[in-house]
Amino acid sequence: MRKKIFSALLMLAVTVCLTSCGGTSGTADQPEGITLTIMGKKSDLERSYMTSIFEQYRNATGNKLDIIAYEDNEFETSAAEKFANGDVPDVFLHFHNADLGRFDVANNFYYLNDESWVSDLTDSADAYCRDKDGNLLGLPFWENSVSGCYYNKTLLDSLGLRAAATQGEFDVLCQVLTEIGYTPICWPGDGCTWMFQFGLDPVFADDPQLLEKLNRNEISYSDIPEVTDMIQWLSDAAEKGWFGADYEATGWSDIGAALGSGQAVMTFIWDTWFYTDFEQGNTYTVDDFALMPVFMNTAVNGTYEGGNLNMMMVNKNGSHVDAALDFLKFCATAENYNKAFDGIATVNCFKGQTTNIQSQMVTAAQSSIAENERVSTAASRIIGYSAEDVADAVNPMFRGDTDVAGCVKMMDDLRIGEAQAQGAEGF
């Protein structure tokens, strides 16, 4: 009897020990059963490398992830409301752009300067994530891509047409494609907003003093002819049918079908999209596409935009700060990020990155990129800039509710209002 009692007590002690130590799931410095909240844009959180790293983390630690995903056109406003109400996530995904000013970075986020993985970041990725005081705001776990006008080279060749090298040539190409029954540009007007910054980048990247005047509130968009030129071009392009008949109902998930079927010939996007979101089984595949500059009537020879990096930021007011820091460490481990980015077309963010690939579309356009690439400027350096605000001004113009001048004025009003909300000096 004593042996049976002793055996039962021994088994109970082992069970308690395993339970208190977390068993085989979890990690040495994290208790079992933690649920981390991760907030970001829905389209960002669904990228294949993001879902891969999430799954790896769950399997390796036994912890759970509560993914809070907002539609792109709702993200900035909805996330800001959550922060204002104190309902903050443990990990927040955001680009280092003007919209980040909505979130009181200094009071909300943990500076990552001393994390063990910082030395593994490439110089450019590290620099992108630093604030003006040199603090590292986030882990750049993202694609480092090249944005431009990606076009169906196979289709153009079959029609006896070629890529454009100037704004004039691009406009002629669009007109010819329209006349023979194609949609020249897949313009995802339903909730997608990144396209505007491509046109604005040359205006301010090429004239830093103009940017400074705008940011000191000494001038406005309406004082800059190139801004009006871009909006006029957008208005004319829509009216001429260059975006197709249903561009206002075309969203993120519709781009692939439009390009893959050949109905739409071009779109303004980035190379990594073809490897993460362009579904296989279409009439045309990634091998049928090539790259030329974006033309939106602000740069005669067009423009490319360098990489923007989504940062994983740790909320220092969150419920699980230590666990969130461990999550970033997990993401920044070579074995894990190399599995996540296997086969993804991107320039390295980590020095130990080895499984990613370089897009043939980008390598073939290297000389053009070298001549016409600009650092991302509009989204990251214009105080009060919001891509969603620009869309809120442009879409009424597309619908005929306002004209070009009214659109530019609305862009100014929304930008200035956001700058004032952020407490920007001079506004």
Side-chain angles (χ1 to χ4, degrees), residues 1-33:
M1 175 65 72
R2 288 180 180 178
K3 287 184 178 180
K4 289 182 179 180
I5 294 173
F6 176 79
S7 297
L9 290 172
L10 180 61
M11 288 299 296
L12 178 61
V14 170
T15 301
V16 170
C17 180
L18 286 174
T19 302
S20 64
C21 294
T24 57
S25 50
T27 61
D29 53 359
Q30 286 184 214
E32 182 183 11

Side-chain angles (χ1 to χ4, degrees), residues 166-290:
T166 67
Q167 182 72 53
E169 290 179 3
F170 185 76
D171 291 350
V172 170
L173 176 61
C174 289
Q175 190 58 40
V176 170
L177 287 170
T178 303
E179 291 173 356
I180 59 179
Y182 291 93
T183 298
I185 305 166
C186 177
W187 182 271
D190 184 11
C192 299
T193 60
W194 64 80
M195 303 83 71
F196 306 107
Q197 69 198 54
F198 300 158
L200 290 171
D201 278 348
V203 179
F204 300 102
D206 296 354
D207 192 344
Q209 290 185 344
L210 191 70
L211 177 63
E212 289 180 10
K213 290 180 179 178
L214 186 74
N215 282 340
R216 290 196 298 263
N217 202 25
E218 295 174 0
I219 60 172
S220 61
Y221 285 146
S222 58
D223 298 314
I224 304 171
E226 292 88 349
V227 175
T228 297
D229 290 345
M230 185 185 89
I231 300 303
Q232 184 67 62
W233 184 87
L234 288 172
S235 177
D236 293 343
E239 186 175 345
K240 293 174 181 176
W242 293 357
F243 300 153
D246 59 349
Y247 66 95
E248 291 185 89
T250 299
W252 171 261
S253 60
D254 303 311
I255 305 171
L259 293 179
S261 66
Q263 177 54 43
V265 181
M266 302 177 281
T267 198
F268 300 156
I269 207 160
W270 45 92
D271 57 311
T272 311
W273 176 86
F274 283 89
Y275 299 88
T276 57
D277 295 272
F278 190 32
E279 296 180 2
Q280 300 301 311
N282 293 305
T283 302
Y284 296 99
T285 70
V286 62
D287 295 330
D288 294 300
F289 287 83

Side-chain angles (χ1 to χ4, degrees), residues 78-344:
S78 297
E81 289 175 354
K82 287 283 188 181
F83 274 71
N85 294 330
D87 186 7
V88 296
D90 297 306
V91 177
F92 186 55
L93 267 67
H94 204 286
F95 290 86
H96 193 185
N97 58 27
D99 279 321
L100 190 58
R102 301 180 184 213
F103 297 95
D104 192 3
V105 172
N107 288 319
N108 278 316
F109 297 106
Y110 189 97
Y111 292 148
L112 302 165
N113 307 340
D114 299 324
E115 294 302 294
S116 60
W117 43 262
V118 174
S119 61
D120 190 37
L121 297 180
T122 62
D123 290 345
S124 60
D126 182 289
Y128 180 89
C129 298
R130 300 274 176 177
D131 67 10
K132 61 182 177 60
D133 297 317
N135 295 306
L136 190 68
L137 303 180
L139 172 71
F141 194 89
W142 200 242
E143 62 205 46
N144 198 352
S145 52
V146 177
S147 296
C149 178
Y150 288 83
Y151 67 96
N152 191 325
K153 63 180 180 181
T154 302
L155 184 54
L156 286 191
D157 287 346
S158 72
L159 297 171
L161 300 172
R162 60 182 177 83
T166 67
Q167 182 72 53
E169 290 179 3
F170 185 76
D171 291 350
V172 170
L173 176 61
C174 289
Q175 190 58 40
V176 170
L177 287 170
T178 303
E179 291 173 356
I180 59 179
Y182 291 93
T183 298
I185 305 166
C186 177
W187 182 271
D190 184 11
C192 299
T193 60
W194 64 80
M195 303 83 71
F196 306 107
Q197 69 198 54
F198 300 158
L200 290 171
D201 278 348
V203 179
F204 300 102
D206 296 354
D207 192 344
Q209 290 185 344
L210 191 70
L211 177 63
E212 289 180 10
K213 290 180 179 178
L214 186 74
N215 282 340
R216 290 196 298 263
N217 202 25
E218 295 174 0
I219 60 172
S220 61
Y221 285 146
S222 58
D223 298 314
I224 304 171
E226 292 88 349
V227 175
T228 297
D229 290 345
M230 185 185 89
I231 300 303
Q232 184 67 62
W233 184 87
L234 288 172
S235 177
D236 293 343
E239 186 175 345
K240 293 174 181 176
W242 293 357
F243 300 153
D246 59 349
Y247 66 95
E248 291 185 89
T250 299
W252 171 261
S253 60
D254 303 311
I255 305 171
L259 293 179
S261 66
Q263 177 54 43
V265 181
M266 302 177 281
T267 198
F268 300 156
I269 207 160
W270 45 92
D271 57 311
T272 311
W273 176 86
F274 283 89
Y275 299 88
T276 57
D277 295 272
F278 190 32
E279 296 180 2
Q280 300 301 311
N282 293 305
T283 302
Y284 296 99
T285 70
V286 62
D287 295 330
D288 294 300
F289 287 83
L291 173 61
M292 63 175 153
V294 166
F295 295 97
M296 295 177 70
N297 207 31
T298 57
V300 172
N301 296 317
T303 187
Y304 302 95
E305 184 185 52
N308 288 272
L309 303 176
N310 213 342
M311 304 183 298
M312 292 181 175
M313 306 174 70
V314 172
N315 197 311
K316 63 184 180 183
N317 301 311
S319 302
H320 305 293
V321 176
D322 289 339
L325 291 171
D326 283 344
F327 171 73
L328 264 62
K329 183 186 294 184
F330 182 90
C331 295
T333 299
E335 179 183 358
N336 302 330
Y337 63 64
N338 274 318
K339 183 176 180 180
F341 284 96
D342 188 16
I344 300 296

